[in-house]
Amino acid sequence: MPKAGSTTVTKVLHKRPIAHDPHCWLTPEGKLVDPTYRNGGSESYFVPYTDTLVLNGKTTESICELCFPRSNTDLNISLTLVAGEHARRFQDIGPRAYSGVVIDYEKCLNKIVYYDALPFDLVELVSEGLDPNQQYLNHLMFSPYACPVDADTPKKLTHDPSLSFDDMKKQFSRERRSICSIFKGYDDTACFMGEDMVWDSQMIKKPVLVNLSRRSGKLIQDIPPLRQIVEKHSVPTQKKRRQKVVSTANTYNLSPEEVVMLSNPHLYPHPYLLNKAGWVSIPRLKTAELIAN
């Protein structure tokens, strides 16, 4: 495997016309598995990334999605899909047409491409009642962005709900280019998700994976986390902080170590622990306190 931060492309199990949203999983046995949905073909490609991501917090991180378009249609499909993901933040709808000016397709074909696009519905929402010139500026502001990967391409996407459209508009007024370009590496519609990217997410309000495990016959919320992982989360020794953890544990039917684990910024809340607590948000320890212990 290439070193962290490398943009080397690694061949995996299958090859698709559009390398959209491929994933790999390093199993507990140390095997690299590609569980990506495959609709024909035998190979695909992915860009490995091994840095630690913040998965639990008001602001979270994920790996940027990249595509490898071989035609204009390939790139349009990727842009439409990501526009649909943004649209679902403020409307319960599927993939939507993206907005904005025409992309320079030629520079993107047969290359690894970073891309982002916002739904046309969002432009219509903010442009309603405005004069034609302002409507044009809004279309420019929400234009899609696609560019071949280079040394400056962000490898992770930051989901920060405090980044508002007012903030993005102000920056656009200074630079006069698409906010998808200005805010590369940021989730443009995280502000629609609430104030906390984890506890305000519907993913922790109820079980997301509803099928039984083929190996154990259990639901994901019935399978506890590995004991050795829970035990790594030591309860603070300072009396006041320890009392706070114990009090939280008693309130939510958890052990003190499980409360600390649910505060770990690098571990997404485990479904088993959420189920024990009744699928409610759990007060986090401050990250500094957790790291100190």
Side-chain angles (χ1 to χ4, degrees):
M1 292 290 288
K3 295 180 180 179
S6 168
T7 55
T8 302
V9 182
T10 302
K11 186 155 76 170
V12 199
L13 301 178
H14 61 282
K15 186 177 188 179
R16 297 177 298 164
I18 306 169
H20 181 80
D21 200 24
H23 298 85
C24 280
W25 171 44
L26 186 62
T27 71
E29 295 77 24
K31 295 181 179 180
L32 191 64
V33 177
D34 178 15
T36 310
Y37 171 74
R38 297 191 286 279
N39 185 18
S42 60
E43 297 176 330
S44 75
Y45 301 89
F46 75 98
V47 178
Y49 183 83
T50 57
D51 289 3
T52 302
L53 297 172
V54 174
L55 304 176
N56 182 5
K58 291 186 176 182
T59 299
T60 58
E61 300 170 336
S62 63
I63 301 173
C64 283
E65 290 188 8
L66 306 173
C67 64
F68 191 88
R70 293 183 173 85
S71 67
N72 294 4
T73 300
D74 283 354
L75 184 55
N76 281 333
I77 291 174
S78 290
L79 291 169
T80 299
L81 288 172
V82 74
E85 291 173 9
H86 286 302
R88 283 189 289 274
R89 304 285 177 80
F90 62 95
Q91 292 178 330
D92 187 18
I93 56 178
R96 304 294 289 178
Y98 59 88
S99 69
V101 296
V102 176
I103 282 183
D104 183 356
Y105 288 98
E106 289 303 316
K107 72 176 183 180
C108 296
L109 299 185
N110 297 306
K111 297 175 183 176
I112 303 174
V113 172
Y114 172 95
Y115 64 99
D116 195 10
L118 291 164
F120 186 78
D121 308 66
L122 185 57
V123 184
E124 293 295 287
L125 186 67
V126 300
S127 300
E128 188 174 357
L130 297 178
D131 63 73
N133 182 58
Q134 186 59 49
Q135 288 182 4
Y136 166 77
L137 287 177
N138 278 342
H139 279 279
L140 177 62
M141 179 170 62
F142 293 116
S143 290
Y145 179 77
C147 189
V149 169
D150 59 22
D152 297 323
T153 302
K155 299 178 182 67
K156 66 181 180 182
L157 193 67
T158 299
H159 308 271
D160 183 357
S162 68
L163 180 62
S164 69
F165 270 108
D166 286 338
D167 297 329
M168 291 186 275
K169 286 179 182 178
K170 290 176 183 176
Q171 193 65 28
F172 168 77
S173 67
R174 291 189 284 267
E175 300 192 30
R176 283 293 193 271
R177 58 191 177 96
S178 165
I179 61 175
C180 289
S181 171
I182 297 172
F183 293 95
K184 277 195 306 183
Y186 282 86
D187 181 348
D188 309 307
T189 53
C191 56
F192 288 112
M193 299 291 285
E195 297 180 355
D196 189 298
M197 289 304 296
V198 173
W199 296 127
D200 288 339
S201 169
Q202 292 302 311
M203 290 181 65
I204 63 96
K205 307 295 183 185
K206 59 183 179 180
V208 176
L209 300 177
V210 297
N211 294 324
L212 296 173
S213 165
R214 293 184 178 180
R215 180 176 179 180
S216 67
K218 296 181 179 180
L219 295 168
I220 190 169
Q221 63 266 26
D222 298 325
I223 303 173
L226 293 174
R227 192 69 234 165
Q228 57 265 40
I229 295 178
V230 178
E231 291 173 351
K232 286 182 179 180
H233 293 83
S234 303
V235 180
T237 55
Q238 200 273 339
K239 183 177 179 181
K240 193 171 183 179
R241 289 187 292 170
R242 185 180 185 87
Q243 286 176 339
K244 180 180 178 181
V245 172
V246 172
S247 175
T248 302
N250 292 335
T251 301
Y252 294 97
N253 188 36
L254 298 166
S255 72
E257 291 79 10
E258 289 171 340
V259 170
V260 178
M261 182 174 172
L262 285 172
S263 297
N264 189 329
H266 305 305
L267 292 180
Y268 197 81
H270 196 288
Y272 178 86
L273 303 183
L274 293 175
N275 191 46
K276 279 185 68 176
W279 300 95
V280 296
S281 59
I282 312 298
R284 294 189 189 97
L285 295 176
K286 292 181 180 180
T287 302
E289 293 178 0
L290 180 63
I291 293 174
N293 290 275

